[in-house]
Amino acid sequence: MTWLITGGAGYIGAHVARAMAEAGERVLALDDLSAGVPSRLPEGIPLVQGSSLDGELLKRVLAEHAVTGVVHLAARKQVGESVAQPARYYQENVGGLATLLDAVAGAGVERFLFSSSAAVYGNPDAELITEDTPCAPMSPYGETKLAGEWLVRAAGRAHGIRTVCLRYFNVAGAAAPELADTGVFNVVPMVFDRLTRGEAPRIFGDDYPTPDGTCVRDYIHVADLAEAHLAAARRLSSADAAGDLTVNIGRGEGVSVRELVTLIGEVTGDTRPVRVEPRRPGDAPRAVASAALAAGELGWTARRGVREMVESAWRGWQLHHA
Ligand SMILES: NC(=O)c1ccc[n+]([C@@H]2O[C@H](COP(=O)([O-])OP(=O)(O)OC[C@H]3O[C@@H](n4cnc5c(N)ncnc54)[C@H](O)[C@@H]3O)[C@@H](O)[C@H]2O)c1
């Protein structure tokens, strides 16, 4: 088996590439380096610099490396940017996926794993979100992930490709400091950024219908997420797996933003009081996964807790912002 990992120099992609290589899979990465960092990839994992929008390049790479499975993480991922530039998000996330699937089908690749997101659910009224919870994304980003899932499943049926769509919840942490998320788009780096500037961490809304009034999320350690990819890749390779699977990747436990910020204060030793600001449009009060299907279908359960996520993310932040 040879796996092509698109977005392999990205935060999650590099964790996936490492975990799969360490487990004995042959992997290579493709990344346009718009957000990727080549040094995240260990020696021995080839990196092709190029775009998922470049069909000719994709066909060449699939053939030259005799690729037998694809893990597709390459995408734009900023919700706010997607609201401002919807056509770009559809072009890159859905157009890039269509180009890739065309090349995959043409090359006879039979296994495809797609990075989806809890953003497909929008703002569901559910204590635990199951894969049957209706999808109603609230941003063009979430729409591109939902449309991507439809496309993946349709291409799977049309071309005999086995597919898995993984709906990640809130990803945090780092398996090693050099693999850390260098972007400041998610809550943990956003709080680190404020503290590093000597400013109070911000909480957007403390009047939600949740126990402490702040939004509740399901945080998943990126190393656990990488292991989920490995489990999904193994499932795609097993003879008796069903054709397609769409599955939540979370811990099944809610943590409020206030609890998270308190924990960050403990880990960093910076316990300055938070600043409460108005709600941001589009933030769901609660988004917590049911992790049951992943346990049943992939034999995978998250092992790492939120403190480990914050501690490892903080080590990575200090490395990059020393
Ligand atoms: N980080 C999260 O919390 C989260 C949650 C849910 C889903 N996801 C999804 O996981 C995937 C990876 O996210 P990440 O957090 O690692 O982001 P990231 O920006 O670190 O990684 C994405 C990588 O893809 C590359 N890339 C982007 N467009 C490309 C293109 N057209 N062709 C080739 N390479 C391209 C970038 O250079 C980058 O290295 C994305 O699909 C994202 O939507 C992330």
Side-chain angles (χ1 to χ4, degrees), residues 12 16 19 113 131 164-172 218-235 245-253 289-305 309:
I12 299 171
V16 171
L113 209 160
E131 292 75 2
V164 175
C165 297
L166 299 181
R167 292 176 174 165
Y168 316 161
F169 279 64
N170 287 66
V171 188
D218 187 341
Y219 296 94
I220 173 89
H221 196 299
V222 66
D224 281 325
L225 179 61
E227 287 169 10
H229 286 75
L230 182 62
R234 295 268 157 91
R235 181 186 194 274
L245 174 70
T246 298
V247 63
N248 290 339
I249 300 296
R251 293 171 67 249
E253 273 179 42
S290 162
L293 191 66
E297 289 288 336
L298 300 178
W300 168 90
T301 308
R303 297 185 289 139
R304 298 160 179 91
M309 294 178 217

Side-chain angles (χ1 to χ4, degrees), residues 7 9-13 30-36 50-52 73-77 92 115-117 141 145 168-169 171 186:
Y11 164 52
I12 299 171
L30 177 127
D31 201 299
D32 68 2
L33 300 183
S34 54
S51 170
S52 59
L73 297 110
R76 310 244 71 85
K77 63 161 187 179
E92 298 226 8
S115 280
S116 188
S117 166
Y141 168 72
K145 290 295 176 184
Y168 316 161
F169 279 64
V171 188
N186 294 343

